[in-house]
Amino acid sequence: MLAYAPHLTRAHVSIAIVAGYLDEPRALPGLAHLLEHVLTTAPLEASSNISLLTWFSQHQGSLNAHTDDYITDVHFSISANKLEVAALTVASQLATPAFSPSVIGAEVAAIDAEWQARQHSSAMQRLSAISTLSDSQHIGAGCRHGNAQTLGSDMTLLFEALTAFHRAYYHGGRVSIAIISPWAAKAMNRLIKRMAALFSPPIPCAPSLSIAPRWSRQFSTKVASTGNTVELLWPLSSAIARHQLTALGDTADRLNQGLLVEQLPDSITDYRATLAPSGATDAFSLTLSGTATQDQVKALAAALSERLAALLGTATNAHGNRWQPPVDTMQLAPAWFAHARRQALTRRFATLSSEHQPVTSTFAASHARCLLGNTPPPPSPHAFDRQPPAYPAVQHWCGQYGVSDDFAVLATTAWAACFVPGAVVVPSPLTAKRLARQAIVFKQENSPHGSWVIAMGSQANHAMVALLEDAVLAASKAQEGMLAQQLIQRLTPLPAAPVVWVSHSTGAAAVCNALANLASRVAIRAEQPSANLSTSTAIMRTLSLPGTPSQRLLLALAEQHHSGAFFQQARYDHHLGYVAAVRSGDGAPCSLGYVVQTSNVGEISKDAGSAGGKPLEEKRIAEKLQSITDALWKTSDSVLQAQLPTLTPPETPLAALVLQWQSLLTGTNQPLHRLGQQRIDSQALTNLLTQINTLGHWQTHWLDSAGHYEVNR
């Protein structure tokens, strides 16, 4: 599968193996996950010291992998001029890897650390609930993530099991390759054939591709830690045809454009339809945000089943075989990888039907299953204990700021964006879907510093005023996701006052007034750290500079050229954690963060038994972080001189708007990619490195899974 996108500077590639954790041996939960880890961390055939992850760090690319229930994919993004070597390197490693006991042991430890960090997360609680709805005799009735206990410590046994699993499933009969790039279609097709040729043919008596039905007759189960959500799942028939899956995908897209708004009760605030969601790729999912009793959910499931069946009956493939990303796509890579996984998954369903076999039975009410959120109701108003500050006048910008240089269509597009510091904007129920019905794209992002919303489309100013008038503010919630990612979000500076950016002056004053009114009328609850024990900690050392254009380019260049060495030293040489990355925060000031995440080092405390107010292991990691980063900068002159940073332009019009918006919020007028390719000569580099010693500010940040955050200023 391929797609030609001439405006791209990077290629995005997915290699999907049509096998997942429900294909692994019952006695070894986590084996498929372990194989995914080992494939990306084992030494490459051409180098005994470099893994796939290290190779991509060294070549300014990114690589990740995901093991799902019925499919595993390794996906990467790389500069288009490196596509061929990257694609063949990854395909070769997946086809003919070299396992070693040391790598296997290290990745068992990494998986166990992931398990410790994630076992109480909403995602893991959801997977646990899905297993509850599975038939007790099906392999899906148990947790398959894997940890040190389930995988064990017998490296010989694991080596043999990994080898057997790889031989049975990682072959040409189960490989699906997808590329989107600026290359010509013929060139991409030739490359896909070369990649596929590296995989062996299926072994005799290879396991069947078919999916065994897993769902029990149980209608619902409760899910802890998922907020006020309800997820309805309609299992798919194992005999569903490719064109029917395409129709279901189109139905999900239509639903997400607001087609269910009128059918939902007032207690539902948002919804999302997904074909083949993670953990239940043999199902169609509709996730509802809001509250409902179990009786209401049953009635809703019956009503929605009828509505969905009717919608599916009228679904048409309007864009043929040409891939179109969802209208709210910012980065093409995640959307392309999700599409590639769904296309690969079609190989697991039998094509036994004619082209006209109806599939409305998929949405029979009796087929629906339900995951019920089991979270206490939000605090009552009296729990809010501080008022927002008296904000000064709303700061605002008006005009294009060069975004039409990225995408010409933006020259005739309207938009409005608003930011509120220190709180979360909570739009009225189903706002995004109602705007979608008006052909207005809505996007929201929340961070530790505040919340912003953006509307793009005709009458954007009018739509934003209505949105702000109906919205409320809420306290910033405890963030989810990797702790390292949460720390990275703190790199970017944001304003301390409300801000507006509009494309057109007509109606701009009304937007500013609506935002000022919203920012001043609602109390904000002071957020307290969780009382839960910490199971993991992220530690990040940051370098900050004032943010001149040359300093911003320097840190972008340093991010690219320090990433490989830092990843190798932090993860492999010194075992600082199972996550190790270098990330920049562009703006004025600009920052560069070197972050690791580890498990079981103790929560941030002032216990007398810890050295300098920190557990001893945590203190060791912070000291080693300083040692590694200091050494990287001491040799930076020879590494960075005469190098060009890879400045990736936005891939969609919405991304161009958001990048410019973020640039304005962070104190710069132009995003990094529009500064141009500027080579840093020897004298300029010497001057910049001197500024690091005179103007640079180093800090160390800690964040643990209980929510405790500290910074050493």
Side-chain angles (χ1 to χ4, degrees):
M1 185 175 69
L2 54 86
Y4 171 58
H7 72 288
L8 294 184
T9 61
R10 293 170 74 78
H12 307 303
V13 182
S14 167
I15 303 179
I17 306 298
V18 190
Y21 55 74
L22 295 185
D23 296 296
E24 65 194 4
R26 283 181 179 268
L28 277 176
L31 184 71
H33 189 189
L34 178 61
L35 179 57
E36 169 224 305
H37 270 243
V38 171
L39 289 171
T40 57
T41 59
L44 300 176
E45 183 179 5
S47 174
S48 60
N49 298 319
I50 297 178
S51 67
L52 277 180
L53 290 174
T54 302
W55 191 95
F56 275 86
S57 292
Q58 292 176 345
H59 290 81
Q60 292 78 59
S62 61
L63 176 138
N64 211 332
H66 177 65
T67 302
D68 215 325
D69 48 3
Y70 290 112
I71 199 161
T72 300
D73 73 302
V74 177
H75 47 264
F76 62 88
S77 299
I78 194 77
S79 175
N81 60 14
K82 298 179 181 177
L83 170 58
E84 180 177 13
V85 63
L88 295 175
T89 297
V90 177
S92 176
Q93 177 71 348
L94 298 188
T96 55
F99 304 140
S100 70
S102 61
V103 172
I104 295 171
E107 295 314 308
V108 169
I111 287 175
D112 190 64
E114 287 182 13
W115 165 253
Q116 298 298 332
R118 296 174 176 172
Q119 60 179 316
H120 301 300
S121 68
S122 60
M124 290 300 295
Q125 296 294 334
R126 174 182 172 274
L127 291 179
S128 176
I130 289 173
S131 69
T132 301
L133 293 179
S134 299
D135 185 279
S136 60
Q137 301 304 309
H138 194 276
I139 188 173
C143 175
R144 310 301 303 183
H145 181 283
N147 53 50
Q149 183 176 355
T150 66
L151 291 168
S153 57
D154 188 336
M155 294 302 111
T156 301
L157 173 65
L158 286 177
F159 176 87
E160 293 173 351
L162 287 170
T163 301
F165 189 78
H166 181 273
R167 185 184 305 114
Y169 293 99
Y170 279 63
H171 55 70
R174 286 180 178 258
V175 174
S176 180
I177 300 170
I179 301 176
I180 183 170
S181 83
W183 281 28
K186 287 185 178 180
M188 284 191 281
N189 194 45
R190 285 195 298 269
L191 178 58
I192 288 174
K193 289 181 177 179
R194 291 177 63 192
M195 295 165 66
L198 295 173
F199 290 86
S200 302
I203 61 174
C205 302
S208 169
L209 280 166
S210 63
I211 293 176
R214 67 160 140 179
W215 302 95
S216 70
R217 294 182 175 273
Q218 183 177 340
F219 169 72
S220 68
T221 188
K222 291 186 176 181
V223 188
S225 305
T226 58
N228 296 313
T229 63
V230 175
E231 183 176 3
L232 292 168
L233 295 166
W234 285 268
L236 302 177
S237 167
S238 59
I240 197 166
R242 179 185 291 268
H243 77 281
Q244 296 168 334
L245 285 170
T246 299
L248 285 172
D250 291 342
T251 298
D253 292 340
R254 296 168 69 198
L255 293 175
N256 292 330
Q257 293 305 303
L259 289 186
L260 277 186
V261 165
E262 307 302 332
Q263 280 71 43
L264 297 175
D266 293 340
S267 60
I268 301 302
T269 60
D270 200 4
Y271 70 84
R272 186 75 183 175
T274 309
L275 171 63
S278 180
T281 58
D282 56 343
F284 185 97
S285 164
L286 186 65
T287 301
L288 308 170
S289 300
T291 57
T293 65
Q294 186 158 340
D295 287 342
Q296 289 173 324
V297 169
K298 285 186 176 180
L300 188 59
L304 290 179
S305 294
E306 183 177 348
R307 174 64 171 151
L308 292 172
L311 280 173
L312 182 58
T314 61
T316 58
N317 189 1
H319 47 78
N321 294 322
R322 187 166 59 91
W323 177 67
Q324 291 283 0
V327 294
D328 61 348
T329 298
M330 277 189 48
Q331 296 179 321
L332 285 183
W336 177 251
F337 298 151
H339 176 66
R341 283 192 292 271
R342 287 193 296 270
Q343 292 300 304
L345 188 66
T346 62
R347 299 173 66 176
R348 301 219 64 162
F349 294 95
T351 309
L352 304 177
S353 59
S354 71
E355 284 295 303
H356 303 289
Q357 178 183 348
V359 290
T360 52
S361 60
T362 296
F363 292 113
S366 59
H367 291 178
R369 303 293 185 271
C370 179
L371 308 180
L372 292 168
N374 189 28
T375 297
S380 57
H382 64 76
F384 289 77
D385 54 18
R386 69 177 175 88
Q387 294 290 329
Y391 288 121
V394 172
Q395 182 180 2
H396 75 280
W397 297 284
C398 181
Q400 290 269 324
Y401 282 86
V403 292
S404 58
D405 294 341
D406 293 323
F407 284 90
V409 68
L410 293 175
T412 56
T413 301
W415 64 82
C418 296
F419 169 78
V420 177
V424 174
V425 177
V426 182
S428 61
L430 299 172
T431 288
K433 302 302 184 291
R434 295 184 194 280
L435 291 175
R437 296 184 70 174
Q438 303 172 42
I440 294 176
V441 177
F442 171 79
K443 203 75 174 177
Q444 178 168 7
E445 184 171 298
N446 304 320
S447 78
H449 302 292
S451 175
W452 60 254
V453 291
I454 190 168
M456 181 180 75
S458 178
Q459 301 296 315
N461 284 358
H462 181 268
M464 182 60 74
V465 169
L467 184 156
L468 295 173
E469 289 177 345
D470 292 339
V472 298
L473 292 187
S476 298
K477 297 180 180 179
Q479 292 179 277
E480 290 222 349
M482 299 290 286
L483 295 175
Q485 183 61 37
Q486 294 179 38
L487 273 186
I488 288 167
Q489 286 186 318
R490 296 176 181 267
L491 286 172
T492 305
L494 289 172
V499 179
V500 166
W501 177 38
V502 293
S503 56
H504 298 83
S505 58
T506 303
V511 176
C512 292
N513 290 336
L515 179 60
N517 184 48
L518 173 65
S520 63
R521 74 173 185 254
V522 182
I524 302 174
R525 179 173 178 263
E527 195 72 13
Q528 299 297 325
S530 167
N532 296 332
L533 293 177
S534 170
T535 57
S536 59
T537 300
I539 305 173
M540 178 171 69
R541 191 171 190 234
T542 60
L543 168 65
S544 298
L545 289 167
T548 66
S550 59
Q551 290 168 354
R552 294 166 63 197
L553 286 169
L554 173 68
L555 293 194
L557 186 58
E559 175 189 4
Q560 295 168 14
H561 289 276
H562 286 178
S563 289
F566 179 78
F567 180 82
Q568 178 68 35
Q569 293 180 49
R571 195 180 193 277
Y572 295 121
D573 298 346
H574 301 289
H575 308 289
L576 300 189
Y578 58 95
V579 173
V582 183
R583 295 290 184 270
S584 60
D586 189 42
C590 55
S591 300
L592 190 65
Y594 302 80
V595 64
V596 297
Q597 182 170 329
T598 188
S599 62
N600 297 325
V601 297
E603 71 177 70
I604 298 173
S605 66
K606 303 299 181 183
D607 295 342
S610 58
K614 295 284 186 295
L616 290 173
E617 176 62 8
E618 198 172 294
K619 186 175 178 66
R620 180 194 74 84
I621 292 173
E623 289 174 348
K624 183 54 67 175
L625 261 184
Q626 179 174 345
S627 173
I628 293 172
T629 52
D630 286 349
L632 287 173
W633 279 100
K634 285 179 181 177
T635 59
S636 287
D637 54 349
S638 61
V639 175
L640 301 181
Q641 186 173 333
Q643 296 288 337
L644 279 171
T646 303
L647 304 178
T648 304
E651 297 181 338
T652 65
L654 179 59
L657 277 187
V658 170
L659 281 176
Q660 179 60 54
W661 172 229
Q662 291 173 330
S663 181
L664 293 171
L665 288 176
T666 58
T668 64
N669 285 332
Q670 294 291 321
L672 198 59
H673 73 275
R674 275 198 243 124
L675 293 180
Q677 297 285 65
Q678 301 179 26
R679 193 178 299 277
I680 304 176
D681 61 37
S682 178
Q683 185 57 51
L685 180 62
T686 300
N687 294 339
L688 286 172
L689 294 177
T690 300
Q691 290 176 21
I692 289 175
N693 296 325
T694 58
L695 302 175
H697 182 48
W698 288 95
Q699 293 179 315
T700 302
H701 308 249
W702 290 264
L703 178 66
D704 69 19
S705 54
H708 303 94
Y709 170 74
E710 276 194 16
V711 57
N712 176 5
R713 301 183 185 279

